[in-house]
Amino acid sequence: MPHPFLPAILALAANLTFLPIDATATVPRSEEDGWRILFDGSSTEGWRNGDGSPYDDPIDDGTLQVFQNGGAFVYHEDVFEDFILRCEVKQETERTNSGVFVRLVDPKTHHGPPSRNPRTGFECQVGPGGTGIHSFGAIYDLVPAASNVARPAGEWNEIEIRCQGPIVTVSVNGTQTATLNTEEWPEPTRRPDGSRHKFLTAIKDHPRVGHIAFQDHGARAWYRNVRIKELKAD
């Protein structure tokens, strides 16, 4: 005996429109809008330890974990000039000391004796929250964090660093925390207000091209979703 609802079901099916399946459709690549993925959570290709050896530590739940990696940094072998860098970082404790470096010229010698190594690159500090020159979101030892927007240890923070010509800008969790115009820093070891910093070369003379690096400074920090968009020169 036919099911009493069968005619109604057949009538409904006859009026349905089915869209064809596009077997060639793909997920858009980041390169299509100018972004390049430097770390996708599954491959460490292009990344190196601070001593120059390939980074071969296990990927920790889709992250780069930079503690005790064989050098002071985990860095990308490519160099970049003008760009926007985005990544996420989670720190182990409120006392974590790490950082995101940009325009770092030689990660293998950066922590050598200052008399032979004038230091290069700029660091977005990852560590305790606050509004000092060594607080989360500061440009380390140069420009203090304008506001404390760091999330508690164990939570992910979003960092964006924009380098274009002499301007370096840092944002944390959607809030701009520090801006540096290198042209306004003409004296070695001196800030514009006359106070001292650690760099032996005038900030205005620092190279405007270098590596992206994550600092290992004695505590665990995890980095993920690392991507970069190179900018055209002004």
Side-chain angles (χ1 to χ4, degrees):
M1 179 178 179
H3 195 284
F5 298 111
L6 184 58
I9 294 173
L10 293 175
L12 177 62
N15 291 317
L16 290 177
T17 300
F18 293 93
L19 296 176
I21 296 174
D22 182 4
T24 65
T26 59
V27 176
R29 298 177 302 168
S30 64
E31 289 85 349
E32 291 180 1
D33 58 5
W35 289 93
R36 173 186 171 191
I37 297 174
L38 295 184
F39 175 67
D40 63 2
S42 61
S43 170
T44 59
E45 182 179 358
W47 290 92
R48 295 188 172 275
N49 295 316
D51 59 8
S53 61
Y55 179 91
D56 58 1
D57 286 7
I59 294 174
D60 188 353
D61 193 25
T63 71
L64 289 175
Q65 204 295 99
V66 301
F67 181 54
Q68 295 183 339
N69 65 82
F73 299 102
V74 171
Y75 70 95
H76 198 277
E77 63 189 11
D78 291 346
V79 295
F80 305 96
E81 186 172 0
D82 291 344
F83 56 85
I84 303 170
L85 174 72
R86 290 177 179 169
C87 65
E88 296 174 62
V89 61
K90 179 175 67 174
Q91 47 189 354
E92 184 176 35
T93 74
E94 302 295 345
R95 298 182 301 278
T96 293
N97 187 342
S98 185
V100 182
F101 273 74
V102 295
R103 292 179 172 175
L104 184 61
V105 172
D106 191 347
K108 296 187 292 297
T109 62
H110 181 83
H111 283 293
S115 61
R116 297 201 304 270
N117 173 25
R119 308 286 192 251
T120 63
F122 301 106
E123 176 188 1
C124 166
Q125 174 69 21
V126 171
T131 54
I133 58 174
H134 300 153
S135 300
F136 200 125
I139 300 177
Y140 184 85
D141 214 43
L142 298 176
V143 181
S147 56
N148 180 7
V149 293
R151 293 169 182 152
E155 295 185 16
W156 288 101
N157 294 274
E158 296 113 29
I159 291 176
E160 177 179 295
I161 304 174
R162 183 186 183 104
C163 294
Q164 191 158 27
I167 309 299
V168 179
T169 303
V170 172
S171 297
V172 176
N173 296 324
T175 298
Q176 185 171 304
T177 56
T179 299
L180 169 69
N181 183 344
T182 62
E183 293 292 342
E184 297 174 351
W185 298 61
E187 292 188 62
T189 75
R190 298 283 182 179
R191 302 183 183 92
D193 65 3
S195 58
R196 300 186 72 89
H197 60 69
K198 70 174 185 176
F199 296 93
L200 303 184
T201 300
I203 299 303
K204 76 175 185 63
D205 295 329
H206 275 223
R208 294 182 182 176
V209 60
H211 297 277
I212 305 297
F214 302 128
Q215 184 188 41
D216 168 23
H217 207 235
R220 296 186 189 277
W222 296 264
Y223 292 89
R224 70 181 185 185
N225 294 333
V226 186
R227 52 214 184 277
I228 196 166
K229 184 175 185 177
E230 296 191 75
L231 303 173
K232 295 181 179 178
D234 289 336

